[in-house]
Amino acid sequence: MSVVSRIKRISTPQIRGRKGAEPIVCLTAYTTQMARQLDSHVDLLLVGDSLGMVLYGFDSTLPVTLDMMIAHGGAVMRGAERACVIVDLPFGSYQESPEQAFRSAARVMAETGASGVKLEGGTEMAATIHFLTQRGIPVCGHVGLMPQAVNVAGGFKATGRSAEEALLVTRDAEAVAEAGAFAVVLEGTLEPVAAAITAALPIPTIGIGASPACDGQILVSEDVFGLFSDFTPRFVKRYADLGSQISAAAEAYARDVKARTFPGPEHCFQPKAKG
Ligand code: KIV
């Protein structure tokens, strides 16, 4: 008989219901252990395709595959009991057609047990979001700075600086909401634009570099805890420096091994005393 968890997981309709209420706390997670540590502190864990850069050392998120996302999605689900877990659809797994998106999202849902998917894109993705949500797949949108479009945008750049850009990102967010998304990530968007979008939309906005005006916030956990230093966006507040602590601990371990002081006698298997 399977063991049924007594902790009730936060659902995507509950996240949707937090519009205009208590801010939604979100972080990324890619592993079981990180999910376990974060689970009781957050409302939502995103298995982001940022794992391509943060865990795998790629220059962008473009090389990430659906199989990678499914493997990490399953790992996070094994560590989180309470948080709503959603998984990013990676580049190339959904842009071709609503049908392709459905096949990819259905694999994510069936093989990981996650509660929904996130995908990048505004007006151009509205038909796909509608197709998925009508077929049982909760979708979180992602507009503004879209890392999968880095080659078209010419870099990881904030948006909403000009009136034209502000109009574009507003239209994108509205299209995603009208298509049936339960929430939308607003990335790299100026405060007045994020505030106006948040006031206008019926669904929660989850900001990343988009000001406290949003209904919730998300950051990459490795940025927050000082575990990724290749590149730290200006808007990230670092709450710990675990990277330095790991280096110092590794240095101490190496010192002990070289001095033959590790493992100490209390950690060794000793011959049994006779008699
Ligand atoms: O991939 C990711 O981690 C993301 C968040 C940073 C929003 O999309």
Side-chain angles (χ1 to χ4, degrees):
M1 201 169 76
S2 71
V3 179
V4 179
S5 169
R6 254 168 274 139
I7 297 174
K8 199 143 171 33
R9 192 182 291 285
I10 297 171
S11 65
T12 56
Q14 283 173 314
I15 298 289
R16 163 80 179 76
R18 292 272 289 274
K19 175 72 192 174
E22 196 193 352
I24 306 164
V25 183
C26 316
L27 280 170
T28 60
Y30 316 128
T31 62
T32 304
Q33 200 48 46
M34 184 65 91
R36 264 190 205 132
Q37 301 284 352
L38 304 181
D39 189 40
S40 59
H41 306 290
V42 301
D43 300 304
L44 182 142
L45 286 173
L46 167 69
V47 186
D49 61 353
S50 50
L51 64 79
M53 301 172 79
V54 175
L55 286 193
Y56 288 85
F58 295 130
D59 285 347
S60 76
T61 56
L62 303 193
V64 174
T65 65
L66 190 58
D67 286 338
M68 286 160 77
M69 295 310 300
I70 288 172
H72 287 279
V76 169
M77 283 299 291
R78 287 190 287 280
E81 290 192 290
R82 175 188 165 275
C84 179
V85 175
I86 63 170
V87 178
D88 260 343
L89 290 183
F91 180 66
S93 74
Y94 64 95
Q95 290 92 343
E96 198 179 317
S97 65
E99 289 79 6
Q100 184 210 21
F102 182 80
R103 279 192 298 277
S104 299
R107 272 198 65 197
V108 168
M109 304 290 288
E111 294 177 40
T112 70
S115 299
V117 298
K118 176 168 83 58
L119 57 83
E120 294 180 14
T123 47
E124 75 287 7
M125 278 298 143
T128 295
I129 294 171
H130 183 72
F131 193 87
L132 296 184
T133 54
Q134 290 298 300
R135 287 161 179 77
I137 298 179
V139 178
C140 177
H142 183 152
V143 303
L145 190 165
M146 292 181 273
Q148 292 179 14
V150 60
N151 290 314
V152 176
F156 297 103
K157 291 182 190 149
T159 179
R161 290 182 197 282
S162 65
E164 262 176 323
E165 277 181 11
L167 188 63
L168 268 182
V169 69
T170 305
R171 284 209 184 122
D172 279 344
E174 285 170 351
V176 162
E178 275 163 28
F182 70 87
V184 60
V185 168
L186 267 187
E187 179 162 358
T189 308
L190 301 195
E191 176 152 11
V193 182
I197 292 174
T198 300
L201 291 197
I203 60 170
T205 55
I206 298 173
I208 171 161
S211 87
C214 299
D215 294 299
Q217 298 294 328
I218 187 160
L219 286 173
V220 170
S221 291
E222 279 71 3
D223 286 339
V224 171
F225 305 130
L227 284 166
F228 180 69
S229 50
D230 290 10
F231 168 75
T232 308
R234 258 186 308 156
F235 53 79
V236 170
K237 176 172 171 187
R238 195 166 264 191
Y239 288 80
D241 192 4
L242 301 186
S244 302
Q245 288 193 37
I246 290 172
S247 287
E251 196 184 328
Y253 167 74
R255 221 182 298 120
D256 280 355
V257 171
K258 287 177 192 161
R260 298 190 191 280
T261 55
F262 179 86
E266 69 276 18
H267 297 116
C268 289
F269 291 109
Q270 301 290 340
K272 275 203 180 129
K274 283 193 182 143

